[in-house]
Amino acid sequence: MEEVAVVTGASRGIGRAIAVHLAREGVAVAVNYASSSGKADEVVAEIEGSGGTAIAVQADVSDEAAVAAMFDRVAEELGPVTILVNNAGITDDGLVLRMGTDQWDRVISTNLRSVYLCTKAALRGMVRAKHGRIINISSVSGVSGNPGQANYAASKAGIIGFTKSMAKEVGSRGITVNAVAPGFIETDMTEALGEDATGRAAGQISLGRLGTPEEVASVVGYLASDGASYITGQTIVVDGGLAL
Ligand code: NAP
């Protein structure tokens, strides 16, 4: 069966590495992005340059109509989706006492509502095919909590509950649903924290350094592979020992 993946938020960072990794495994990849069309085109060019297949698809993953249109286009241009990686995510940090409700809603909507919308859109075809892999990118913040990130941690913990529930809902249909919870990974998201904060973070990590997007992508690639056919409902922490 030809594998077709949608990777949300694949124009940069971890999503980009996941798209490139899956393409290298022979998967046709839809590179979703919100606004970085130039960067998404670069990812597509990189994949095509190595002999792979990819398309760039713009969609705000918190928007139900945009998500539906994205899945229609991917099915038309690449075929039925067999792998969904819910990776798109944002932070908008602040202590709850100072947090605006719009700040709460935006993070929950982008990080969690999106996972529900994209999963629902991908599931119909997967149920029909009796085959599918859904991999949701959570965070160690969702496992352990983090002061100043109540909105983000709630969205990422929500993803873990959603992952377990979906694994139970669709397991009998040949679909596995797992989560990956990265720690500190070198991307624009962590660069925004500044050198002092990332330096302090590195001091807390058993391996003594931040992770690379490729180190997350290889775990996602494994969960999407035949080798992971009997793993479902799990959250795999990829954090260099941060949460130990
Ligand atoms: P990043 O470098 O900031 O990239 C975020 C990606 O998400 C971009 O491709 C962005 O698209 C896309 N995106 C944002 N809002 C979107 C929306 N509404 N619709 C569609 N796409 C949207 O982030 P990252 O560090 O790679 O993080 C990727 C995932 O890993 C996130 O879920 C994040 O929470 C999680 N994570 C990251 C870390 C870390 O240390 N970096 C740790 C734990 C978990 P545009 O380029 O178009 O804006």
Side-chain angles (χ1 to χ4, degrees), residues 8-15 32-37 39 59-62 86-91 110-111 137-140 152 156 181-190:
T8 68
S11 49
R12 296 184 278 125
I14 295 171
N32 161 256
Y33 65 97
S35 54
S36 307
S37 73
K39 293 199 172 198
D60 173 351
V61 286
S62 65
N86 283 308
N87 165 80
I90 56 164
T91 51
T110 306
N111 297 4
I137 308 302
S138 176
S139 164
V140 287
Y152 181 75
K156 294 300 185 179
F184 280 96
I185 309 299
E186 282 170 1
T187 69
D188 294 346
M189 189 178 271
T190 42

Side-chain angles (χ1 to χ4, degrees), residues 114-156:
S114 60
V115 174
Y116 154 75
L117 291 175
C118 291
T119 299
K120 200 169 174 177
L123 265 182
R124 284 195 184 93
M126 290 181 180
V127 167
R128 218 174 293 129
K130 296 193 171 63
H131 167 75
R133 295 294 164 89
I134 299 174
I135 299 136
N136 300 320
I137 308 302
S138 176
S139 164
V140 287
S141 291
V143 177
S144 308
N146 201 17
Q149 285 201 315
N151 51 358
Y152 181 75
S155 72
K156 294 300 185 179

Side-chain angles (χ1 to χ4, degrees), residues 178-228:
N178 290 289
V180 172
F184 280 96
I185 309 299
E186 282 170 1
T187 69
D188 294 346
M189 189 178 271
T190 42
E191 201 178 312
L193 299 172
E195 256 177 50
D196 281 0
T198 49
R200 274 197 306 277
Q204 309 280 310
I205 300 169
S206 305
L207 292 178
R209 62 171 178 86
L210 272 64
T212 65
E214 290 72 24
E215 287 174 313
V216 178
S218 61
V219 177
V220 173
Y222 168 65
L223 288 171
S225 76
D226 289 344

